[in-house]
Amino acid sequence: AGPSFDTKPQGLIPLQSCSIYTDTRDPSGTTFTISNPSLPGAHVTFQAGSVERTRDWLEACENGKKASLANGALGHALVEQLQNRDKKRDDELQEAVEKLKKNALETKKALEAKQKILKRQQMQRMRHEEELDQALAEKKALEKKKKQNEQKLKNLSKEEAKAQKQKAKMEKSLEEVKGTLIRLEEVLLGVEDDVEVRKSISFLNGFVSRQGRGLREEGLKEDL
């Protein structure tokens, strides 16, 4: 609270009930007196420097009579009220500033948290893109290997077909040789029945049979 208003200050002359008049005994007209009828002997005489200054003093005193100590106390109360209102306004302003600071700090923390989330999401997206690129690269490698294997199978199929063709041709040749041997055996045995001739023909028949059996066994292995 501010200083209290003094309703009875020392050295103050209350003008509300006072009489203010010029001293007719002074021929210069520069002397005036302030007296209080309710206080016998309580009067003060002043002398101004000129008549104009005397008139100014008299006018000021008359105006001063219109003001009272009560009005002064009321004015002081109004001043205190205004000061209190200003203080309240300053407190509210300070509270608003603190609230804004708090909101700004919370907003900053929220933004930092959001930036961390966005950074983490960006890193996850980059990692997923790297994994996707790696998967695509592996897929391309597998497709390339698949094509190579398909080409190998085609080449093997061609070689197998060629081998089958050669095998069929050889089997045909063996059958022709076998038929020739049978006809040769008939001819030779018809001419001369010789043991050595029979052995030679038997050896040739065995050789042709073994070759044919070997080709058939090889074909079975390939089928398996």
Side-chain angles (χ1 to χ4, degrees), residues 107-122:
T107 302
K108 181 181 178 182
K109 290 182 179 179
L111 288 175
E112 290 177 350
K114 187 175 182 180
Q115 288 177 352
K116 288 182 180 180
I117 293 174
L118 290 175
K119 186 176 181 180
R120 184 165 59 252
Q121 290 177 348
Q122 184 179 7

Side-chain angles (χ1 to χ4, degrees), residues 105-154:
L105 181 60
E106 292 177 354
T107 302
K108 181 181 178 182
K109 290 182 179 179
L111 288 175
E112 290 177 350
K114 187 175 182 180
Q115 288 177 352
K116 288 182 180 180
I117 293 174
L118 290 175
K119 186 176 181 180
R120 184 165 59 252
Q121 290 177 348
Q122 184 179 7
M123 293 180 64
Q124 290 177 351
R125 183 170 62 253
M126 292 176 62
R127 185 167 60 253
H128 291 163
E129 290 176 353
E130 291 177 355
E131 292 176 352
L132 180 61
D133 292 340
Q134 184 178 358
L136 290 174
E138 292 177 354
K139 181 182 178 182
K140 289 182 180 179
L142 290 174
E143 290 177 349
K144 183 178 180 180
K145 189 174 182 180
K146 180 182 177 182
K147 289 181 180 180
Q148 291 176 350
N149 291 334
E150 289 176 351
Q151 187 63 38
K152 289 180 180 180
L153 288 175
K154 288 181 181 180

Side-chain angles (χ1 to χ4, degrees), residues 18 26 29 33 40 42 44 55 63 70-71 88 95 101 105 118 140 143 148 151 154 156 176 181 186 190-191 193 200:
C18 290
D26 183 6
T33 301
V44 181
R55 285 198 295 267
N63 291 331
N71 291 335
K88 181 179 180 182
E95 183 179 357
K101 288 182 179 179
L105 181 60
L118 290 175
K140 289 182 180 179
E143 290 177 349
Q148 291 176 350
Q151 187 63 38
K154 288 181 181 180
L156 288 175
E176 291 176 354
L181 288 174
E186 291 176 351
V191 174
D193 188 7
S200 297

Side-chain angles (χ1 to χ4, degrees), residues 2 36 44 46 52 61 83 125 132 145 151 154 186 188-189 196 212:
N36 191 336
V44 181
F46 300 92
E52 290 78 8
C61 288
Q83 290 177 345
R125 183 170 62 253
L132 180 61
K145 189 174 182 180
Q151 187 63 38
K154 288 181 181 180
E186 291 176 351
L188 291 175
L189 291 176
E196 294 299 328

